Amino acid sequence: MIWIVYLNVFLSSYRRQHQPSILITSGAGRGMKSHCFVTNLGLEPVYLLDIILDVRIADGRSFRAIIPERNERHRDDEDGDARIATNVGPLVSGEEKDIGRFSILIDRACEENPDLDCHMDFVGVKVTVVTVTASRASLYGAERDYVLETCNRGIVRLRPTTFKARQIDGFFGRRSLAKMLNAELSSSV
């Protein structure tokens, strides 16, 4: 009986250590000028594969765009470092990546999705980060919802709806991530 308890403790500790934990935060600015940061809090490195942005407008409609590239930094210079024009890449344990200002994320979404117009009345943004782990080569992700509120002085405030990012793992979570990515791939083809 004691060995079974020790085995359960060991296995749960092993699983916890090898499970990724992705944090999505905002800072270094106010409202739409604040930056969106993605941090790997897991013990193993992950590869940031895609960033999915769901934008809600005032009439209740929602639009989706996959925006891993930093189009605003793209240069046709062949000798430059191409990594500055993308958010795709590895994140070691404890590493943080600035994926851009929220206003720039919406601009990128407008470039990727022809149904979106940057002059729409936006009321919410959901950032979903898709990663791949080295140990299992499985999809993992995290998502965090933000609401845009206009103060009485006309200042737009960006407020998260949850305390921390919701982790997308498990069989059904990985399946929904794969469906989202496959749907965007088939629509672009």
Side-chain angles (χ1 to χ4, degrees):
M1 187 70 163
I2 292 173
W3 287 109
I4 292 173
V5 170
Y6 281 137
L7 181 63
N8 280 333
V9 169
F10 174 75
L11 287 177
S12 66
S13 173
Y14 179 80
R15 269 191 244 130
R16 189 182 79 245
Q17 288 178 357
H18 288 26
Q19 187 171 8
S21 180
I22 306 298
L23 185 63
I24 301 169
T25 56
S26 58
R30 291 196 153 184
M32 296 301 287
K33 297 283 186 195
S34 64
H35 290 257
C36 185
F37 297 102
V38 176
T39 309
N40 176 18
L41 294 179
L43 295 177
E44 289 190 352
V46 296
Y47 188 86
L48 198 141
L49 186 63
D50 267 321
I51 297 167
I52 302 170
L53 196 71
D54 290 306
V55 181
R56 291 181 311 282
I57 59 175
D59 66 6
R61 291 183 294 161
S62 182
F63 300 93
R64 175 172 287 156
I66 295 182
I67 54 166
E69 302 304 321
R70 299 183 76 115
N71 299 334
E72 73 279 2
R73 291 188 176 179
H74 179 68
R75 290 181 277 153
D76 291 329
D77 181 15
E78 293 294 324
D79 296 331
D81 188 3
R83 290 176 290 187
I84 65 168
T86 186
N87 285 318
V88 172
L91 283 173
V92 297
S93 179
E95 186 177 1
E96 177 180 73
K97 182 174 272 214
D98 177 6
I99 63 172
R101 294 182 187 270
F102 281 90
S103 58
I104 299 293
L105 294 177
I106 289 179
D107 289 344
R108 286 185 215 152
C110 290
E111 288 179 18
E112 293 297 321
N113 188 336
D115 297 331
L116 262 174
D117 181 14
C118 288
H119 302 294
M120 291 178 163
D121 188 18
F122 300 110
V123 295
V125 176
K126 179 167 69 171
V127 179
T128 305
V129 175
V130 182
T131 63
V132 176
T133 62
S135 62
R136 294 189 204 163
S138 297
L139 290 179
Y140 282 92
E143 65 184 14
R144 193 162 189 201
D145 237 335
Y146 292 88
V147 175
L148 299 169
E149 299 172 336
T150 305
C151 298
N152 55 2
R153 293 174 291 180
I155 299 170
V156 177
R157 188 175 148 211
L158 189 69
R159 184 179 54 82
T161 61
T162 57
F163 180 65
K164 63 179 188 167
R166 183 179 79 82
Q167 301 301 304
I168 303 171
D169 56 358
F171 175 76
F172 293 111
R174 289 193 292 273
R175 196 163 130 193
S176 72
L177 286 174
K179 279 184 180 179
M180 276 194 271
L181 295 176
N182 283 329
E184 290 297 318
L185 279 177
S186 62
S187 70
S188 65
V189 173

Coordinates of all heavy atoms in Angstrom, one line a residue, residues 8-52:
N8 N 2.1 7.0 -6.8 CA 1.2 8.0 -7.2 C 1.8 9.4 -7.0 O 1.6 10.3 -7.8 CB -0.1 7.9 -6.4 CG -1.0 6.9 -7.0 OD1 -1.0 6.6 -8.2 ND2 -1.9 6.3 -6.1
V9 N 2.4 9.6 -5.8 CA 3.1 10.9 -5.6 C 4.2 11.2 -6.6 O 4.3 12.3 -7.1 CB 3.7 11.0 -4.1 CG1 4.5 12.2 -3.9 CG2 2.5 11.0 -3.1
F10 N 5.0 10.2 -6.9 CA 6.0 10.4 -7.9 C 5.5 10.7 -9.3 O 6.0 11.6 -9.9 CB 6.9 9.1 -7.9 CG 7.9 9.1 -9.0 CD1 9.1 9.9 -8.9 CD2 7.7 8.4 -10.2 CE1 10.0 9.9 -9.9 CE2 8.7 8.4 -11.2 CZ 9.8 9.2 -11.0
L11 N 4.5 9.9 -9.7 CA 3.9 10.2 -11.0 C 3.2 11.5 -11.1 O 3.3 12.2 -12.2 CB 2.9 9.1 -11.4 CG 3.5 7.7 -11.7 CD1 2.4 6.7 -12.0 CD2 4.4 7.8 -12.9
S12 N 2.5 11.9 -10.1 CA 1.8 13.3 -10.2 C 2.9 14.4 -10.2 O 2.7 15.4 -10.9 CB 0.9 13.5 -9.0 OG 1.5 13.5 -7.8
S13 N 4.0 14.2 -9.4 CA 5.0 15.2 -9.5 C 5.7 15.2 -10.8 O 6.0 16.3 -11.4 CB 6.1 14.9 -8.4 OG 7.2 15.7 -8.5
Y14 N 6.0 14.1 -11.4 CA 6.6 14.0 -12.7 C 5.7 14.7 -13.8 O 6.2 15.4 -14.6 CB 6.8 12.5 -13.1 CG 7.4 12.3 -14.4 CD1 8.8 12.5 -14.6 CD2 6.6 12.0 -15.5 CE1 9.4 12.3 -15.9 CE2 7.2 11.8 -16.8 CZ 8.6 11.9 -17.0 OH 9.1 11.8 -18.2
R15 N 4.4 14.4 -13.8 CA 3.5 15.0 -14.7 C 3.4 16.5 -14.6 O 3.4 17.2 -15.5 CB 2.1 14.4 -14.5 CG 1.8 13.2 -15.4 CD 0.4 12.8 -15.4 NE 0.3 11.5 -14.8 CZ -0.5 11.2 -13.9 NH1 -1.4 12.0 -13.4 NH2 -0.5 9.9 -13.4
R16 N 3.4 17.0 -13.3 CA 3.3 18.4 -13.1 C 4.6 19.1 -13.6 O 4.5 20.2 -14.2 CB 3.1 18.7 -11.6 CG 2.9 20.2 -11.3 CD 2.7 20.4 -9.8 NE 4.1 20.5 -9.2 CZ 4.6 19.7 -8.3 NH1 3.9 18.7 -7.9 NH2 5.8 19.8 -7.9
Q17 N 5.7 18.5 -13.4 CA 7.0 19.1 -13.9 C 7.1 19.1 -15.4 O 7.7 20.0 -16.0 CB 8.2 18.3 -13.4 CG 8.4 18.5 -11.9 CD 9.6 17.7 -11.4 OE1 10.2 16.9 -12.1 NE2 9.9 17.9 -10.1
H18 N 6.5 18.2 -16.1 CA 6.6 18.1 -17.6 C 5.4 18.7 -18.3 O 5.3 18.7 -19.5 CB 6.8 16.7 -18.0 CG 8.1 16.1 -17.7 ND1 8.9 16.6 -16.6 CD2 8.9 15.2 -18.2 CE1 10.0 16.0 -16.6 NE2 10.0 15.1 -17.5
Q19 N 4.5 19.3 -17.5 CA 3.3 19.9 -18.2 C 3.6 21.4 -18.4 O 4.1 22.1 -17.4 CB 2.1 19.8 -17.3 CG 0.8 20.3 -17.9 CD -0.4 19.9 -17.1 OE1 -0.2 19.4 -16.0 NE2 -1.5 20.1 -17.6
P20 N 3.4 21.9 -19.6 CA 3.7 23.4 -19.8 C 2.7 24.2 -19.1 O 1.6 23.9 -18.8 CB 3.6 23.5 -21.3 CG 2.9 22.3 -21.8 CD 3.0 21.2 -20.8
S21 N 3.2 25.4 -18.8 CA 2.3 26.5 -18.2 C 2.6 27.8 -18.9 O 3.8 28.3 -18.8 CB 2.6 26.6 -16.7 OG 1.7 27.5 -16.1
I22 N 1.7 28.3 -19.6 CA 1.9 29.5 -20.4 C 1.1 30.7 -19.7 O -0.1 30.5 -19.4 CB 1.3 29.3 -21.8 CG1 2.0 28.1 -22.5 CG2 1.6 30.6 -22.7 CD1 3.5 28.1 -22.6
L23 N 1.8 31.8 -19.6 CA 1.2 33.0 -19.0 C 1.0 34.0 -20.0 O 1.9 34.3 -20.8 CB 2.0 33.5 -17.8 CG 1.5 34.6 -17.0 CD1 0.3 34.2 -16.2 CD2 2.6 35.1 -16.0
I24 N -0.2 34.7 -20.1 CA -0.4 35.8 -21.0 C -0.7 37.0 -20.2 O -1.7 37.0 -19.4 CB -1.6 35.5 -22.0 CG1 -1.3 34.2 -22.8 CG2 -1.8 36.6 -22.9 CD1 -2.5 33.7 -23.6
T25 N 0.1 38.0 -20.3 CA -0.1 39.2 -19.5 C -0.1 40.5 -20.4 O 0.4 40.4 -21.5 CB 0.9 39.4 -18.4 OG1 2.2 39.3 -19.0 CG2 0.8 38.3 -17.4
S26 N -0.5 41.6 -19.8 CA -0.3 42.9 -20.5 C 0.4 43.9 -19.6 O 0.4 43.7 -18.4 CB -1.7 43.4 -20.9 OG -2.5 43.6 -19.7
G27 N 1.1 44.8 -20.2 CA 1.8 45.8 -19.4 C 2.6 46.7 -20.3 O 2.5 46.7 -21.6
A28 N 3.4 47.6 -19.7 CA 4.3 48.5 -20.4 C 3.4 49.5 -21.3 O 3.8 49.7 -22.4 CB 5.3 47.8 -21.2
G29 N 2.3 50.0 -20.8 CA 1.5 50.9 -21.5 C 0.1 50.8 -20.9 O -0.2 50.1 -20.0
R30 N -0.8 51.6 -21.5 CA -2.2 51.7 -21.0 C -3.1 51.4 -22.2 O -2.9 51.9 -23.3 CB -2.5 53.0 -20.4 CG -1.8 53.2 -19.1 CD -2.4 54.3 -18.4 NE -2.2 54.1 -17.0 CZ -2.7 54.8 -16.0 NH1 -3.4 55.8 -16.3 NH2 -2.4 54.5 -14.8
G31 N -4.2 50.8 -21.9 CA -5.3 50.5 -23.0 C -4.7 49.7 -24.1 O -3.9 48.8 -24.0
M32 N -5.0 50.2 -25.3 CA -4.6 49.5 -26.5 C -3.1 49.7 -26.8 O -2.5 49.0 -27.6 CB -5.4 50.0 -27.7 CG -6.9 49.6 -27.6 SD -7.2 47.8 -27.5 CE -6.8 47.4 -29.2
K33 N -2.5 50.6 -26.1 CA -1.0 50.8 -26.3 C -0.2 49.9 -25.4 O 1.0 49.9 -25.5 CB -0.7 52.3 -25.9 CG -1.3 53.3 -26.8 CD -0.6 53.4 -28.1 CE -1.2 54.5 -29.0 NZ -0.9 54.4 -30.3
S34 N -0.9 49.1 -24.5 CA -0.1 48.2 -23.7 C 0.4 47.0 -24.5 O -0.2 46.6 -25.5 CB -0.9 47.7 -22.5 OG -2.0 47.0 -22.9
H35 N 1.5 46.4 -24.1 CA 2.1 45.3 -24.8 C 1.5 44.0 -24.2 O 1.1 43.9 -23.1 CB 3.6 45.2 -24.5 CG 4.3 46.3 -25.2 ND1 5.0 46.1 -26.4 CD2 4.4 47.7 -25.0 CE1 5.5 47.3 -26.8 NE2 5.2 48.2 -25.9
C36 N 1.4 42.9 -25.1 CA 1.0 41.6 -24.7 C 2.2 40.7 -24.6 O 3.0 40.6 -25.5 CB 0.0 41.0 -25.8 SG -0.7 39.5 -25.3
F37 N 2.4 40.1 -23.4 CA 3.6 39.3 -23.1 C 3.1 37.8 -23.0 O 2.1 37.5 -22.4 CB 4.3 39.7 -21.8 CG 4.8 41.1 -21.9 CD1 4.1 42.2 -21.3 CD2 6.0 41.4 -22.5 CE1 4.6 43.5 -21.4 CE2 6.5 42.7 -22.6 CZ 5.8 43.7 -22.0
V38 N 4.0 36.9 -23.5 CA 3.8 35.5 -23.4 C 5.0 34.9 -22.6 O 6.1 35.2 -23.0 CB 3.6 34.8 -24.7 CG1 3.5 33.3 -24.6 CG2 2.4 35.3 -25.5
T39 N 4.7 34.2 -21.5 CA 5.8 33.7 -20.7 C 5.6 32.2 -20.5 O 4.5 31.7 -20.3 CB 5.8 34.3 -19.3 OG1 5.7 35.7 -19.5 CG2 7.0 33.9 -18.5
N40 N 6.7 31.4 -20.6 CA 6.7 30.0 -20.4 C 7.1 29.8 -18.9 O 8.2 30.0 -18.5 CB 7.7 29.3 -21.3 CG 7.8 27.8 -21.0 OD1 7.0 27.2 -20.4 ND2 8.9 27.2 -21.5
L41 N 6.1 29.4 -18.1 CA 6.4 29.1 -16.7 C 6.6 27.6 -16.4 O 6.8 27.2 -15.3 CB 5.2 29.6 -15.9 CG 5.0 31.1 -15.8 CD1 3.8 31.4 -15.0 CD2 6.2 31.8 -15.3
G42 N 6.6 26.8 -17.5 CA 6.8 25.4 -17.3 C 8.3 25.1 -17.2 O 9.2 26.0 -17.4
L43 N 8.7 23.9 -16.7 CA 10.1 23.6 -16.6 C 10.8 23.2 -17.9 O 12.0 23.2 -17.9 CB 10.2 22.5 -15.5 CG 9.8 22.8 -14.1 CD1 9.9 21.6 -13.2 CD2 10.6 24.0 -13.6
E44 N 10.0 22.8 -18.9 CA 10.6 22.4 -20.1 C 10.4 23.5 -21.2 O 9.4 24.3 -21.1 CB 9.9 21.1 -20.6 CG 10.3 19.9 -19.8 CD 9.9 18.6 -20.5 OE1 9.1 18.7 -21.5 OE2 10.3 17.6 -20.0
P45 N 11.3 23.6 -22.2 CA 11.1 24.6 -23.2 C 9.9 24.2 -24.1 O 9.5 23.0 -24.2 CB 12.4 24.5 -24.1 CG 13.2 23.4 -23.5 CD 12.5 22.8 -22.3
V46 N 9.3 25.2 -24.7 CA 8.2 25.0 -25.6 C 8.5 25.8 -26.9 O 9.3 26.7 -26.8 CB 6.8 25.5 -25.0 CG1 6.4 24.7 -23.8 CG2 6.8 27.0 -24.7
Y47 N 7.8 25.5 -27.9 CA 8.0 26.2 -29.2 C 6.7 26.9 -29.5 O 5.6 26.3 -29.6 CB 8.3 25.2 -30.3 CG 8.7 25.9 -31.6 CD1 10.0 26.3 -31.9 CD2 7.7 26.2 -32.6 CE1 10.3 26.9 -33.0 CE2 8.0 26.8 -33.8 CZ 9.3 27.2 -34.0 OH 9.7 27.8 -35.1
L48 N 6.7 28.2 -29.5 CA 5.6 29.1 -29.8 C 5.2 28.9 -31.3 O 6.0 29.3 -32.1 CB 5.8 30.5 -29.5 CG 4.6 31.4 -29.3 CD1 4.8 32.3 -28.1 CD2 4.3 32.1 -30.5
L49 N 4.1 28.2 -31.6 CA 3.8 27.9 -32.9 C 2.9 28.9 -33.6 O 3.1 29.3 -34.7 CB 3.1 26.5 -32.9 CG 2.7 25.8 -34.2 CD1 4.0 25.5 -35.0 CD2 1.9 24.6 -33.9
D50 N 1.8 29.4 -32.9 CA 0.9 30.3 -33.5 C 0.3 31.2 -32.4 O 0.2 30.8 -31.2 CB -0.2 29.6 -34.2 CG 0.1 29.4 -35.7 OD1 0.6 30.3 -36.3 OD2 -0.2 28.3 -36.2
I51 N -0.3 32.3 -32.9 CA -1.0 33.2 -32.0 C -2.4 33.4 -32.7 O -2.4 33.8 -33.9 CB -0.3 34.5 -31.8 CG1 1.0 34.3 -31.0 CG2 -1.2 35.5 -31.0 CD1 1.9 35.4 -31.0
I52 N -3.4 33.1 -32.0 CA -4.8 33.3 -32.6 C -5.4 34.5 -31.8 O -5.5 34.5 -30.6 CB -5.6 32.0 -32.4 CG1 -4.9 30.8 -33.1 CG2 -7.0 32.2 -33.0 CD1 -5.5 29.5 -32.8

